[in-house]
Structure formats: C-alpha cells, structure tokens
Amino acid sequence: MLFFMTLAIANGLCIGGSRSINGKLAQHDGALAASFWNHLGGFLFLSLLLASGAAAFRLPLDAPWSAWCGGVIGAAFVALNGFALPRLGTMKTALLVIAGQMLAGALIDRIAGDGGQSAPVQLAGIALIILGLYVSKPQAVALRPSRAGPA
C-alpha cells in the first residue's frame, strides 16, 4: 500500500510540474497550442517506450466507447489549465484543480455506488481545500487614513 501511495504522491508532483511548464508555454503560444505540444510530446515518449518493448501494446477494441474519452478529457484538462494558470498562479490553480478532482471523485463514487464515506464527509474535505486556498492567499494590508490632521 505504501508503494502505491508513494506513486500517487509522485504523480501529484508530476502533475504540478507539468501544469507549471504548460502554463508557461500557454503564455507564449496560447492554451490550445500548449495542449497540442504537450500531447505530441507525450505521444512521442509513449511511442519510444512501445517501440523499445518496455511496454506492451494491444488495441482495446472491447473497451466501452466511454473509455476512449480519456484522451479528449486530458487534452481539455491541459488546455483549461493553460488558460487558468497564468491568471491565477500555480498554487491557486493546483488547489482548485484538486478541489475539482475531489468533487468529481465524490460524484463518480456516488453514481457507481462505491462511496465508502458519507457525502457530508467528502463535501467537508472539498470545503477544507477551498478554505485552504482562501487562507493561503496574501492578505491585503488595509491602510487607514490618520484621524489626526496634518502636523
């Protein structure tokens, strides 16, 4: 279990780094172009792995049609991130994406009937992430005019 938890943390680090890199690319070429180059790079990397024999390849023709939507969703994710990250910053974008992932996970668990925890507990977790975003933002210092008149 610890191994898979470590993999999940490593995945989070990869996602955070990838978001930042693609956000910078989106500032130069636009979000859709950044998404294209991201996926082309991923395609070339996976092609090298498959060509080297490091991974097995089989066309999953028996998969349901909905299983093929992952690539479209992934491309949308990268493009949406390219729009948001330069405007919100890396930390805000990451926290909001995590909140969205938790919300999606809670909804999918509900629909699939796999929800191990109650909905209020899951919603509280999402609320805590959003609260963390609020608490982490820089607070503006309010400058009040002096009540004393000019000296």
Side-chain angles (χ1 to χ4, degrees), residues 50 75 134 148:
L50 292 170
Y134 176 76

Side-chain angles (χ1 to χ4, degrees), residues 56-129:
F57 181 73
R58 180 183 70 81
L59 188 60
L61 295 175
D62 56 338
W65 70 268
S66 58
W68 294 88
C69 294
V72 174
I73 294 169
F77 165 77
V78 173
L80 290 172
N81 183 72
F83 285 114
L85 190 131
R87 291 160 182 86
L88 297 175
T90 304
M91 187 158 113
K92 282 182 188 176
T93 303
L95 286 174
L96 289 167
V97 168
I98 291 168
Q101 288 173 324
M102 286 191 64
L103 183 58
L107 290 171
I108 291 167
D109 281 350
R110 290 284 149 235
I111 292 168
D114 297 338
Q117 296 180 348
S118 65
V121 171
Q122 290 174 331
L123 292 175
I126 296 165
L128 285 172
I129 290 173

Side-chain angles (χ1 to χ4, degrees), residues 5-92:
M5 292 170 69
T6 304
L7 284 180
I9 290 171
N11 186 32
L13 292 170
C14 289
I15 290 170
S18 175
R19 276 191 200 125
S20 182
I21 292 166
N22 288 318
K24 292 289 183 195
L25 184 58
Q27 287 178 317
H28 294 281
D29 265 354
L32 294 177
S35 181
F36 172 80
W37 292 115
N38 171 280
H39 285 86
L40 180 63
F43 171 76
L44 294 174
F45 174 71
L46 290 175
S47 296
L48 285 174
L49 285 178
L50 292 170
S52 71
F57 181 73
R58 180 183 70 81
L59 188 60
L61 295 175
D62 56 338
W65 70 268
S66 58
W68 294 88
C69 294
V72 174
I73 294 169
F77 165 77
V78 173
L80 290 172
N81 183 72
F83 285 114
L85 190 131
R87 291 160 182 86
L88 297 175
T90 304
M91 187 158 113
K92 282 182 188 176

